[in-house]
Each structure stands twice: as structure tokens, then as C-alpha cells.
Amino acid sequence: MTKTERTYTRWLGSTRRDEYRPDYLATLDQAADAAQHGDWPTLLGLLPQPGQAGAQISATTLANTRRVGDPSDSAPLHHAARLAAPPAVIDQLVAAGAWRTLRDAHGERPVDIASRLGHHHLVPLLQPAPKHLVPDEVLRAMEPQLHVLLRARAQELAGHQDLLMPQVGVLTELPDPLLAVTVPGMYGNFIIELEHADDPDTVRLEVSGSSRVAGGSGQTHHITAAGCTLVEDGWG
């Protein structure tokens, strides 16, 4: 199977509200408002159903939406943990693709919030269940290197560094561990793939990106716990 045939999960990279279409931003805001206030019927009603054609925003994007520009970085599962949402709500969000590894601005996952607030009945539902087992220390070592690389490349390709950086842990939850990171003005995406996840000695991130308006701007890097290496340059 080629990468073009695989499933890409989108990570919205922009933190600026003026960089989104008004209708797109309005839907994100509606989902964020509903989650913040515990309006679960509205939030779940916004999620497109499996097989639904023509959905403007994917269920996974809405199930993980954070208000654009909100420094708390709280997603629906964080609010569900805080408000002790009904277990059925959490089940539906997880089924829609909500990430249990996602951390807010305080570094807390939903399970951490539920445990801290004494909502212990929700802990089993919110406990991350990764599909790819990568040691936490490896993830922690790779993530800052990824962020340094993306900031440098986003500045080079789009003059843009103010990004909501992707969290490496999310990749361990994805059946097909590919993230497409959107960067305004880049005219392209960064594609991040978790490779060799079953082998802690060779696990790595492959990071590729180019701009459609800048020929030969493509670069591919490999990131391991030990460092970041340029492996291909000048494509695209």
C-alpha cells in the first residue's frame, strides 16, 4: 500500500483565528463551546456519521477540537473528564476518534484530570489504549526534536512559526500512524509517520514536507530518540 492510499489524520496547525474560513471556524467554535459547557447532545450531533458524504470537517477533527487561539488547549475529552460526562458520551467520543493521549496546556491527559478530580469511574474509559507500543521515554525524546524541525521548516516555507505543535503520543493511537499537519501559507502539509513502532531500538518519525509553489523545496527527515537526520532533499 502506498502512502497515497493510506489514512491521513489531520492536525490543525494554525493558532490564529483569521487563518480559518469563517464557516469552518464557526463549526469548530460550536463544538468547542458545547464541550466546554457539557452540552453533549450538541457536540455529538456535530459529528458526521460513518460513511456520511460531504462532511465539511471530519469526526476525528471535531472530536479533538480545541478552540482556536485558546491557550488552555482543552479538547472535548478534557472537558468530559472535568465535568464527569456520562460514560456513553466518552464512549462515543472515543469511537469518533478522540485522542486519550492528548495533553492540554498543563500537560494533563483526560485520564489525569478525571483521576485528580476524583471521577474514578471514568478512569478506565479514559485510559489510553495505544495501538502502537512505544516507550514513553522515546516519545518524550522525539517530540521536542520534531517541534524544532517543524518551526524551522514552517518559517522557511511559509514564514510562519506560530503553530499548534503536534503531539507525538497521538500517533500511537492511530491505526495508520500518519498525521498531516496543516500550515497556513505553506501550500502543502507536513506528513509525520511513526515507523518501526514495534521495535524500540529502531522506532522513528519520518517527517516530510514541501511547498507546491516552491519547486524542489521538499525535505524528508528521520527523527529518533538520538537525533534528527536529513535523509532526502530537493524533491517536489
Side-chain angles (χ1 to χ4, degrees):
M1 183 183 296
T2 66
K3 284 191 179 182
T4 58
E5 298 170 319
R6 296 172 58 186
T7 302
Y8 289 80
T9 298
R10 185 167 297 280
W11 179 282
L12 300 180
S14 178
T15 60
R16 291 178 46 182
R17 296 178 64 82
D18 62 355
E19 291 177 332
Y20 291 86
R21 294 196 320 268
D23 57 336
Y24 194 97
L25 184 64
T27 302
L28 294 179
D29 282 348
Q30 188 179 6
D33 284 341
Q36 182 178 357
H37 298 296
D39 183 357
W40 311 121
T42 294
L43 174 61
L44 296 174
L46 289 171
L47 303 179
Q49 299 304 304
Q52 178 180 336
Q56 181 190 33
I57 306 178
S58 72
T60 299
T61 296
L62 289 171
N64 293 291
T65 191
R66 288 161 283 178
R67 180 179 298 281
V68 177
D70 179 1
S72 77
D73 280 350
S74 293
L77 276 188
H78 294 104
H79 292 301
R82 175 177 58 86
L83 298 171
V89 169
I90 292 175
D91 285 341
Q92 290 179 74
L93 287 171
V94 170
W99 301 320
R100 287 176 281 190
T101 58
L102 193 66
R103 297 181 182 273
D104 63 14
H106 300 290
E108 287 192 307
R109 303 165 302 173
V111 68
D112 301 324
I113 295 172
S115 180
R116 173 170 57 80
L117 296 178
H119 303 150
H120 300 300
H121 64 294
L122 298 181
V123 167
L125 299 178
L126 293 170
Q127 190 66 44
K131 296 175 173 60
H132 312 283
L133 298 178
V134 180
D136 286 343
E137 60 270 20
V138 174
L139 296 175
R140 288 194 298 269
M142 292 193 298
E143 186 166 278
Q145 298 182 73
L146 172 66
H147 293 176
V148 169
L149 172 64
L150 292 186
R151 287 191 181 97
R153 290 287 285 151
Q155 178 64 35
E156 177 185 351
L157 297 175
H160 199 312
Q161 282 192 318
D162 187 17
L163 302 176
L164 181 62
M165 287 294 169
Q167 297 180 22
V168 173
V170 166
L171 286 157
T172 67
E173 295 194 65
L174 304 178
D176 199 356
L178 283 167
L179 276 180
V181 181
T182 61
V183 178
M186 180 174 156
Y187 299 99
N189 296 323
F190 290 113
I191 303 299
I192 304 169
E193 180 175 9
L194 179 65
E195 297 185 322
H196 308 162
D198 58 345
D199 184 351
D201 293 326
T202 61
V203 61
R204 69 189 184 194
L205 302 176
E206 181 175 276
V207 185
S208 60
S210 67
S211 172
R212 293 188 298 274
V213 298
S217 62
Q219 288 186 351
T220 301
H221 292 77
H222 287 165
I223 296 176
T224 67
C228 177
T229 305
L230 176 65
V231 296
E232 190 175 0
D233 191 14
W235 53 266

